[in-house]
Amino acid sequence: MGPLSSALLATPSVRARALLVGVVTLGAGAVALAAERSIGRSPATLALLAAGVVATEIFQIAGDAKAIDPIERQSFSLSFAVIGAAALILGPLPATLVAPLGVLVVDWLKGKQIQKIAFNASMFALMGLAGGYAFVAIGGQPGHFRLPHDFVAAGGMVIAAYGVETVLLGTMIALESGRPLFAHQREKIRSELPAAAGEAALAVVLACLARSSPWAIIAVLPLIAAVYQSKARLTTLRRETEHALETLANIVDERDRSTYRHSARVADYVRALAEALGLSPGEVQRARWAGRLHDLGKIRVDGSVLGKQGPLSADELEAMRLHPRVSARLLRRFRLAVTDAQAVEYHHERTDGRGYYGVNGEDIPFVAHLLSVADAFDAMTSDRPYRRSLSRDAALERIEQGLGTQFHPVVGKAFVALQRGLELDDVLKPADRAELQHLRSRNAQRRVWSQRSAPRPSTLAIAGVVASLAFVGVGWHILAAVAAVTAGAGAVLYVVSAERAHRLTAALVAIADGTEDTSARFGRLVDRLVTSAPLTWAVLVSWSDRSLDATAQHEWRTAVQPPSSEALTSWLIRELESRDSVVVADGSEFGRRGYFLALVLRDAGSPVGSLVLGFRRRPPASVAEALGAADASLAALLDRPADEDEHVEPLRPVLAAVSL
């Protein structure tokens, strides 16, 4: 559960102050009533539960307000597990009495604000009260907890307690931040639901042990300690990774004195713009991180080029134009930054399609538009080796002149208004707001996953076996039989899929090892795949680490429209570093229907190309498994130039020759 942060309530608004007073009054009244009715009732058990609440707050792992992942921004403790156990064992009023003790004792000793302590303590008390009475109302009997009979009542307890915490905390944050309550509640539920489910499960375990064998709770303590330790280590590792990336961004900025702190300023501009446009806290943090890391690829650019005072040569200009793609390729390796890797790659694209890579304005992600205007503004207002800086007003006028060509018209307008201190509600018209919403929905996070995460027959078989054994254990023999049939069906499907994959692998290897030229072998490969999956498009591309570009060597397609060369190149750049040899993407990644599969071809462990396939629907698991097993042989289909310096046409012209 996430208590209120110290940042809020520092200068509460009138409505927030009214809510604070109301919550504290209700919480204090509930605690007073609980104290009157609970003192003298099971004092030993009450004392042990109170000690547990205080102990869980002591070992709380603080959240990181700068984290990208909303889950990582929440503090982590198991206090609700003890509060829930108190409601199941003793009832709603004893749970109300012990619930606020952890906050009152630990937060007071840590010197936190009185307002925050009072609000959080009252909120926890009301959570215990609501959860306990919900358990009783649904038919639960405190002190006589029985499973599976009381599962529904326990679920009601969790929903009621979590609902109180979500509504009270969400309302306070909405009043202080000005964000819509619904938007905050939606993100909070999505981010905290796994932790809440875990705490609820632990509450049930503690209640069962307290009823049957109280001393067994001692055996659970090392497990709880291990959970805390694992969570602490993961938190530390994530923060160290973020600090390392920030340090790398600082190093890139410091290579050129004229760009010192450039990425930090861009990140601040992006954060302010994202907040003003009403993005959720999670989206704001991700956009800020994209701004902070957008120039990582410049680490590949020679320092003399970065600091050159005169115009760049063609080769130097090409090196500079590669840095967004290098940045995207670096960020793809980090889970915390992978979402906006494409936005970073496209931050030098233009809405008129005349950017670094010629990407159509319709295909530029929303965050890339934020980066583009923020990056350009900071560049114009900073001294560079080749020119003096512009004034803020002159730079803003340049942005206004570029609306609709270099910059997105609405995003650019919002940025200019924000920098001039104007209210966006007075500047943006309803049509502008509608355009922003359309832009955000059109460029929503694309669903990309590895074939490993796809449903498999083996998963069905394992789930059936587990369910069958569990049903036998509780005496539900009919359900056990159904689960056993399910497990058998999964096992049969697994055997059939494995046999298909084995036969297809052998066929693909035989084709790749054939003596015909590569064009003929590619044609045979396509013919074989068509018989195994609804194939609509296939292209074999080689990859150049020097130019960060792909070269189409062989292509086959039906009447279905393949992805644009820019979208395909962007996807390959981000997925070449994938740990999996086979990567599957939904067609929305390219603005197309169907599914696309990329088999990464490697030589001595380094990616040298890809076999990219398009399908009308998701390909069978056997196809992906066969391609992954035959990847070493399929790499032989690539026409490798004898000389590394031999010129090859990039992917764009080759695919442009095909009617797209």
Side-chain angles (χ1 to χ4, degrees):
M1 298 292 173
L4 194 66
S5 68
S6 299
L8 296 171
L9 291 180
T11 55
S13 64
V14 174
R15 289 185 296 175
R17 189 179 296 112
L19 177 61
L20 170 65
V21 172
V23 171
V24 171
T25 301
L26 288 175
V31 171
L33 177 64
E36 179 187 357
R37 301 285 179 87
S38 302
I39 296 299
R41 177 184 173 186
S42 303
T45 304
L46 198 63
L48 288 173
L49 290 169
V53 170
V54 175
T56 53
E57 284 297 313
I58 291 175
F59 293 103
Q60 181 183 122
I61 300 174
D64 186 355
K66 295 182 178 181
I68 297 176
D69 190 340
I71 296 177
E72 299 296 343
R73 295 198 298 272
Q74 303 296 329
S75 58
F76 175 79
S77 75
L78 295 175
S79 57
F80 179 70
V82 183
I83 297 170
L88 298 177
I89 297 170
L90 298 179
L93 292 178
T96 304
L97 185 61
V98 303
L101 289 178
V103 172
L104 291 173
V105 174
V106 177
D107 286 6
W108 179 73
L109 291 175
K110 290 182 177 180
K112 295 188 176 180
Q113 296 177 349
I114 296 298
Q115 291 174 310
K116 179 196 171 191
I117 295 174
F119 182 88
N120 286 337
S122 301
M123 181 179 66
F124 274 93
L126 295 175
M127 287 169 56
L129 186 70
Y133 275 117
F135 175 71
V136 173
I138 299 176
Q141 203 171 356
H144 301 281
F145 188 68
R146 296 175 296 128
L147 294 178
H149 178 271
D150 286 332
F151 264 137
V152 175
M157 176 198 71
V158 175
I159 293 173
Y162 187 65
V164 167
E165 190 251 7
T166 300
V167 170
L168 293 181
L169 186 57
T171 302
M172 178 62 77
I173 293 176
L175 291 176
E176 285 298 291
S177 65
R179 291 188 62 235
L181 175 61
F182 177 75
H184 170 79
Q185 302 294 62
R186 181 178 55 192
E187 181 176 347
K188 178 176 171 59
I189 292 173
R190 185 188 304 119
S191 64
E192 292 189 5
L193 190 59
E199 289 186 81
L202 182 57
V204 170
V205 170
L206 293 176
C208 291
L209 292 178
R211 182 173 183 268
S212 59
S213 181
W215 284 103
I217 294 177
I218 297 177
V220 179
L221 297 181
L223 177 60
I224 296 175
V227 171
Y228 270 109
Q229 187 177 38
S230 298
K231 176 65 176 179
R233 287 179 176 176
L234 287 174
T235 300
T236 300
L237 180 61
R238 180 189 53 76
R239 291 175 181 171
E240 288 177 348
T241 302
E242 292 179 357
H243 292 162
L245 286 173
E246 282 205 277
T247 300
L248 186 57
N250 289 336
I251 291 173
V252 171
D253 285 349
E254 292 166 4
R255 295 183 68 206
D256 181 0
R257 295 179 61 184
S258 65
T259 61
Y260 179 65
R261 301 297 295 166
H262 165 70
S263 66
R265 292 193 299 270
V266 170
D268 287 339
Y269 290 137
V270 169
R271 176 192 54 75
L273 180 58
E275 288 177 344
L277 292 177
L279 273 65
S280 69
E283 291 173 315
V284 171
Q285 286 295 344
R286 286 191 292 271
R288 174 196 169 275
W289 268 95
R292 192 70 175 92
L293 305 173
H294 75 283
D295 272 347
L296 283 186
K298 284 185 177 179
I299 201 166
R300 176 169 167 167
V301 182
D302 190 88
S304 62
V305 176
L306 296 175
K308 188 173 181 179
Q309 296 186 2
L312 300 180
S313 67
D315 289 342
E316 291 169 340
L317 185 60
E318 185 63 26
M320 282 294 294
R321 290 191 172 190
L322 287 180
H323 86 264
R325 284 186 167 171
V326 178
S327 298
R329 193 175 181 187
L330 288 171
L331 294 180
R332 178 61 181 84
R333 306 183 187 192
F334 297 95
R335 183 184 64 85
L336 61 89
V338 66
T339 301
D340 289 315
Q342 188 181 50
V344 168
E345 180 189 358
Y346 286 173
H347 77 270
H348 277 296
E349 297 309 300
R350 298 165 51 109
T351 55
D352 60 7
R354 295 167 54 201
Y356 275 15
Y357 311 128
V359 176
N360 188 295
E362 292 290 311
D363 296 327
I364 301 175
F366 175 68
V367 173
H369 290 298
L370 307 185
L371 292 174
S372 175
V373 67
D375 183 52
F377 178 73
D378 188 72
M380 286 188 286
T381 54
S382 302
D383 286 332
R384 294 297 170 91
Y386 47 88
R387 58 147 175 82
R388 300 292 295 175
S389 64
L390 299 178
S391 67
R392 290 177 60 86
D393 288 339
L396 293 176
E397 289 176 3
R398 288 277 187 92
I399 291 176
E400 287 178 320
Q401 294 169 4
L403 296 181
T405 53
Q406 182 175 357
F407 307 108
H408 188 277
V410 182
V411 174
K413 181 195 292 189
F415 181 84
V416 170
L418 188 65
Q419 293 303 313
R420 288 176 174 165
L422 303 177
E423 292 291 336
L424 294 193
D425 289 338
D426 299 332
V427 175
L428 299 183
K429 301 176 181 179
D432 294 330
R433 292 285 186 182
E435 170 61 21
L436 285 176
Q437 183 58 38
H438 172 67
L439 180 64
R440 290 178 61 186
S441 61
R442 187 185 69 211
N443 292 296
Q445 179 180 354
R446 273 72 179 259
R447 293 183 296 137
V448 180
W449 60 91
S450 67
Q451 182 68 20
R452 181 184 303 169
S453 64
R456 292 171 177 265
S458 58
T459 303
L460 181 64
I462 294 172
V465 170
V466 172
S468 178
L469 294 174
F471 289 141
V472 168
V474 297
W476 296 352
H477 300 295
I478 295 179
L479 291 179
V482 173
V485 172
T486 302
V492 171
L493 290 175
Y494 170 75
V495 172
V496 171
S497 178
E499 179 59 27
R500 287 177 178 172
H502 177 74
R503 290 200 303 267
L504 182 56
T505 300
L508 296 180
V509 171
I511 292 172
D513 293 341
T515 57
E516 306 101 324
D517 59 30
T518 55
S519 178
R521 283 182 287 163
F522 178 77
R524 289 180 56 203
L525 174 73
V526 169
D527 291 341
R528 182 62 181 84
L529 289 173
V530 166
T531 64
S532 303
L535 189 68
T536 58
W537 177 64
V539 62
L540 184 67
V541 300
S542 61
W543 175 254
S544 170
D545 266 337
R546 176 184 304 176
S547 62
L548 292 186
D549 215 338
T551 303
Q553 296 187 349
H554 307 286
E555 185 183 31
W556 170 91
R557 69 183 178 94
T558 61
V560 176
Q561 187 180 33
S564 68
S565 57
E566 295 85 6
L568 179 61
T569 301
S570 172
W571 183 52
L572 292 179
I573 285 173
R574 286 176 280 120
E575 298 303 328
L576 281 171
E577 300 297 335
S578 173
R579 293 186 178 91
D580 299 321
S581 59
V582 177
V583 181
V584 178
D586 182 86
S588 60
E589 169 74 21
F590 314 100
R592 300 289 188 268
R593 294 182 178 180
Y595 290 84
F596 294 86
L597 178 152
L599 172 67
V600 181
L601 304 175
R602 293 182 170 88
D603 183 12
S606 298
V608 293
S610 295
L611 174 63
V612 186
L613 307 173
F615 302 90
R616 284 193 302 273
R617 55 183 180 273
R618 189 177 184 96
S622 59
V623 172
E625 291 175 4
L627 289 168
D631 60 347
S633 297
L634 293 176
L637 293 177
L638 289 171
D639 292 321
R640 307 293 300 281
D643 185 351
E644 285 185 346
D645 295 327
E646 181 177 335
H647 176 73
V648 291
E649 291 296 324
L651 180 62
R652 186 181 306 145
V654 174
L655 288 187
V658 183
S659 177
L660 297 180

